[in-house]
Amino acid sequence: PEQGAEVGGKDLVRVVVERTDGGHRAKLYSDGVKGFAVLGPARDSRPEAICDGVELGKCYTSDGQEGAQRASVRLQHKQWSPREIACADEQQLESFGSVKAQPVKAPAVEQKRIPFGEGWTRYDEETLVDQRSQVYFVQIGRQAGQYLKRNAETGRLESVGPPNHSKDLPLAVTAGSASVVRRGAKLDRVVILNDVAKIARLALKFPLSFLDTPASAYALFQGLRTAESAQWCAENFHKKLLPILAEKIHVYEAKELEDVLRRTLEALDAELMLSAHAFSGCGALLAIVLGDRLIVAGV
């Protein structure tokens, strides 16, 4: 017959030692609504099974059903010492009879981390991506909280630093323009972008939240034969510059800003040469202000 804790109540946990074919084993169980049973290994002697039952009860008391199940696995390889067997006390099993059955805990849901700044979109269940810069942010898992970018040479994603936390410097930048009539017409066109982040959001529908401020850009296009080329460049300047600026969400170095203006001029020139306004021709002078830095380029 089974012996051990036999305290009444279906919600209570019981630990008993039961007979098996040629041996004994410990059993921790509950007959509640969500009843369960955790078995110890088959033992040759009853004292060994009692030691198993005490271990199962202790692990259940501290870590619930999952703890008892882990203990059951460990006990499969456990050999009790002669001293432990001699000290086995079946009355210890009764102390677990007052332990109320614990509900199985649902696995904790890992909270997804939130990256700094705007413009992130869902890449997969674990990752967000800033499409323009191609920087990834891992929300959960082993790499949670890391920013990653693909190495152009190896094609592998590598860890990079966090995006630039834009600084608002105490600087005031003002700009104006005046045009002189030449050959009976105004051949020059001026573009003043006093707030490139605002213009990107309103005109191109994407944020530029990683730039230091003030963040502004200026352009002077001087028509050579007519004003058509200058007019086209003025209308398309922001469409070329701002997407290039958005390709980086980390701090821009001065050399990188020079490259931004160079690429903007090349993009304008390449498209202008394919348009109907190519024969008109124009010169260009560009300037960009980011924080306390001023970069100028021209052609």
Side-chain angles (χ1 to χ4, degrees):
E2 294 182 350
Q3 294 185 14
E6 293 293 344
V7 178
K10 290 187 176 181
D11 289 333
L12 295 182
V13 171
R14 297 179 177 130
V15 183
V16 299
V17 173
E18 60 183 15
R19 292 184 182 277
T20 62
D21 293 338
H24 304 79
R25 69 177 177 186
K27 178 181 179 181
L28 181 147
Y29 70 100
S30 171
D31 290 330
V33 176
K34 295 183 179 180
F36 66 91
V38 180
L39 300 177
R43 298 292 192 181
D44 293 332
S45 69
R46 189 175 193 87
E48 289 178 287
I50 292 172
C51 292
D52 291 339
V54 172
E55 183 67 15
L56 291 174
K58 288 179 178 179
C59 291
Y60 182 85
T61 301
S62 61
D63 297 318
Q65 185 178 338
E66 291 183 358
Q69 290 170 338
R70 289 194 296 268
S72 176
V73 174
R74 292 197 304 270
L75 288 171
Q76 300 295 328
H77 308 284
K78 174 68 175 177
Q79 294 296 323
W80 298 104
S81 68
R83 182 178 179 180
E84 290 171 321
I85 294 173
C87 295
D89 183 0
E90 197 153 352
Q91 290 184 348
Q92 285 186 273
L93 301 181
E94 297 177 3
S95 64
F96 303 113
S98 60
V99 178
K100 197 165 186 179
Q102 303 176 27
V104 178
K105 296 180 181 179
V109 178
E110 184 178 359
Q111 294 295 319
K112 290 186 176 181
R113 302 197 185 187
I114 305 299
F116 171 76
E118 304 174 85
W120 300 96
T121 57
R122 177 64 55 192
Y123 179 74
D124 58 27
E125 288 299 316
E126 298 182 355
T127 315
L128 300 176
V129 63
D130 180 85
Q131 294 289 353
R132 285 159 291 279
S133 66
Q134 285 297 292
V135 172
Y136 298 82
F137 178 79
V138 184
Q139 291 190 288
I140 56 176
R142 183 174 55 85
Q143 293 181 298
Q146 290 191 35
Y147 294 88
L148 307 173
K149 189 173 178 65
R150 199 171 300 281
N151 185 302
E153 296 181 359
T154 65
R156 296 180 178 178
L157 288 173
E158 298 179 353
S159 180
V160 295
N164 180 45
H165 286 234
S166 58
K167 298 182 289 292
D168 187 10
L169 280 74
L171 299 174
V173 180
T174 58
S177 69
S179 182
V180 177
V181 174
R182 294 184 292 118
R183 302 175 191 170
K186 294 172 62 175
L187 301 181
D188 305 334
R189 297 292 186 271
V190 173
V191 182
I192 299 176
L193 307 178
N194 284 323
D195 187 341
V196 295
K198 182 177 181 180
I199 293 168
R201 188 183 301 277
L202 295 178
L204 302 183
K205 308 303 180 185
F206 63 78
L208 278 176
S209 57
F210 304 105
L211 301 178
D212 292 339
T213 56
S216 52
Y218 311 95
L220 169 62
F221 299 103
Q222 186 178 56
L224 299 181
R225 299 177 183 85
T226 67
E228 291 180 353
S229 289
Q231 179 67 30
W232 184 91
C233 288
E235 292 174 351
N236 290 275
F237 171 56
H238 70 288
K239 300 177 185 177
K240 305 302 181 185
L241 171 68
L242 302 188
I244 295 174
L245 268 180
E247 291 178 7
K248 185 171 183 180
I249 62 177
H250 297 87
V251 176
Y252 267 107
E253 302 296 335
K255 276 289 185 182
E256 293 174 318
L257 289 174
E258 292 176 11
D259 188 60
V260 167
L261 294 186
R262 178 187 60 78
R263 290 174 58 195
T264 301
L265 286 170
E266 290 175 350
L268 287 169
D269 183 65
E271 194 166 332
L272 178 62
M273 292 300 293
L274 298 176
S275 73
H277 312 301
F279 180 76
S280 172
C282 73
L285 180 64
L286 310 183
I288 186 170
V289 176
L290 283 187
D292 58 358
R293 290 172 296 175
L294 169 63
I295 307 297
V296 180
V299 62

